[in-house]
Amino acid sequence: MSAPLVIGIDLGGTNCRGGLVTASGALVSSRRMATETGEGLEPFLQHLVRFCGDLIADAGDGGQRVAGIGIGTPGVISSEGVVQISPNLSVLNGFPLARELENRLGLPVRVVNDANAIAWGEGEFGAGRPFSSFVALTLGTGVGGGLVLHRRLWLGSDGSAGEIGHVMVDAEGRLCGCGNRGCLEQYASAKGIVLSYRNLVERKSGNDPPCSGWGGSDGGAVALAEAARRGDLAARASFAEAGRRLGQVLGGVANLLNLDGVVFCGGVSGSLDLILPDLEDELAHRAFAIPGARLRIVAGELGEQAGIVGAAALALELLEEDGFSARAGTSKEDVDGG
Ligand SMILES: [Zn+2]
């Protein structure tokens, strides 16, 4: 039998996407479902187990089998795969998701923070490959972060490291969902950039801003980027504000950690061209010369697949640490003909 596949899952608050991933990071098939938590924990777990079962069946249809499962999901996840706090999936708060799924599916399961999964995916198979040490910033509805140091994911003592979106850039600034004020996320996320725009337009005209009716999960940031490219000055200024705030934080990060690079992921990273000039200008002022010159800024290469592929790769790493891949690839039973 060929080398086993690993399931990677990106489990978000509204959508769950998963796929079968090879050891070299290729996504060979994928599925998605809505994340249904309204009926409580047990029905949600049953949905998730069925989803994994469908992917295992997909592998079986192709004559392959699944060696393990990696799940990336928002929140603070312990190294044992306990979801300690998840703002978007509160049904899982305090729940030992990895152990429970292992019991139900009979496969090793690793659960990690979703931004960490994205960082690991880009580091192993995407834009982070040239870097030994880098931070991946996910600019989407919020701002997520994952830190890779010397090709190891830095999770911190409790699994909560990497929350660069909640580094403070303005002590008197906008109130953040985390309870703090002036977090980077409030200026550099899709919602933050649209809010900057609304503030600028409302201040100027006193009228409702033209983007107030824009909807979608990005809060109108894609439409705003188009407006900026057409020359809308307030739109351009809103992306510039995001760039400036990101440059402030990354200057501090460069001085603290002397990283090789920054990988920008998530929906807003498609507008990196609108952010980068102010980011680089601010970074040049904030970072010391040597770490500032070292830091390369690049866009992610894996898009929406990064979280799936990264979660799978992290599961595979766990399996290899346990010596599982040796068992899975050429298990003793196979060798013995059993
Ligand atoms: Zn915050």
Side-chain angles (χ1 to χ4, degrees):
M1 187 181 266
S2 56
L5 299 166
V6 178
I7 291 175
I9 293 178
D10 182 356
L11 174 60
T14 48
N15 285 303
C16 176
R17 297 177 301 116
L20 297 168
V21 181
T22 69
S24 54
L27 182 66
V28 296
S29 78
S30 62
R31 286 177 175 268
R32 67 167 63 215
M33 67 168 185
T35 305
E36 306 273 4
T37 58
E39 291 167 33
L41 180 60
E42 181 55 35
F44 167 71
L45 289 173
Q46 289 174 14
H47 282 300
L48 195 53
V49 166
R50 209 173 304 130
F51 186 71
C52 292
D54 289 343
L55 285 164
I56 291 166
D58 291 344
D61 291 345
Q64 289 180 292
R65 64 203 172 92
V66 168
I69 299 170
I71 299 177
T73 193
V76 178
I77 319 293
S78 79
S79 56
E80 291 80 32
V82 177
V83 180
Q84 303 188 79
I85 302 166
S86 180
N88 299 332
L89 277 170
S90 56
V91 71
L92 289 175
N93 282 350
F95 188 71
L97 183 61
R99 196 183 66 205
E100 185 63 28
L101 290 179
E102 283 183 351
N103 289 342
R104 294 188 187 209
L105 288 160
L107 286 169
V109 177
R110 185 169 191 184
V111 181
V112 297
N113 170 274
D114 57 347
N116 286 331
I118 289 168
W120 193 251
E122 289 288 350
E124 289 288 286
F125 307 113
R129 271 175 301 181
F131 305 142
S132 169
S133 300
F134 69 96
V135 62
L137 267 84
T138 309
L139 306 183
T141 317
V143 173
L147 195 55
V148 174
L149 300 177
H150 290 306
R151 301 198 187 281
R152 302 286 297 175
L153 200 54
W154 177 259
L155 297 171
S157 298
D158 299 299
S160 78
E163 291 290 353
I164 198 165
H166 301 278
V167 172
M168 189 266 288
V169 292
D170 182 353
E172 311 300 325
R174 298 173 187 166
L175 191 62
C176 183
C178 74
N180 203 344
R181 271 193 184 277
C183 293
L184 174 64
E185 177 167 296
Q186 294 304 311
Y187 304 89
S189 65
K191 282 181 180 171
I193 293 168
V194 171
L195 184 57
S196 294
Y197 179 73
R198 295 181 64 154
N199 287 348
L200 279 171
V201 173
E202 279 167 3
R203 204 179 304 154
K204 202 166 66 184
S205 67
N207 295 326
D208 277 347
C211 72
S212 60
W214 295 350
S217 60
D218 73 332
V222 170
L224 196 62
E226 286 165 11
R229 292 198 181 91
R230 285 196 306 268
D232 183 313
L233 290 179
R236 294 186 79 90
S238 306
F239 283 97
E241 168 85 357
R244 201 163 61 81
R245 301 299 190 177
L246 284 162
Q248 290 169 356
V249 170
L250 290 174
V253 167
N255 290 350
L256 181 68
L257 295 171
N258 189 193
L259 302 174
D260 299 310
V262 181
V263 180
F264 277 102
C265 312
V268 180
S269 67
S271 307
L272 197 57
D273 58 312
L274 297 167
I275 292 171
L276 211 48
D278 289 84
L279 191 164
E280 287 180 331
D281 187 52
E282 194 70 30
L283 188 62
H285 287 93
R286 303 276 174 180
F288 291 150
I290 289 173
R294 168 67 57 185
L295 198 69
R296 299 266 80 85
I297 295 170
V298 298
E301 293 174 357
L302 302 180
E304 281 201 334
Q305 291 185 11
I308 294 173
V309 167
L314 282 165
L316 192 63
E317 188 193 49
L318 185 73
L319 302 179
E320 283 167 354
E321 278 171 12
D322 290 351
F324 185 87
S325 76
R327 297 205 302 276
T330 50
S331 71
K332 189 161 187 307
E333 290 84 336
D334 288 344
V335 172
D336 292 345

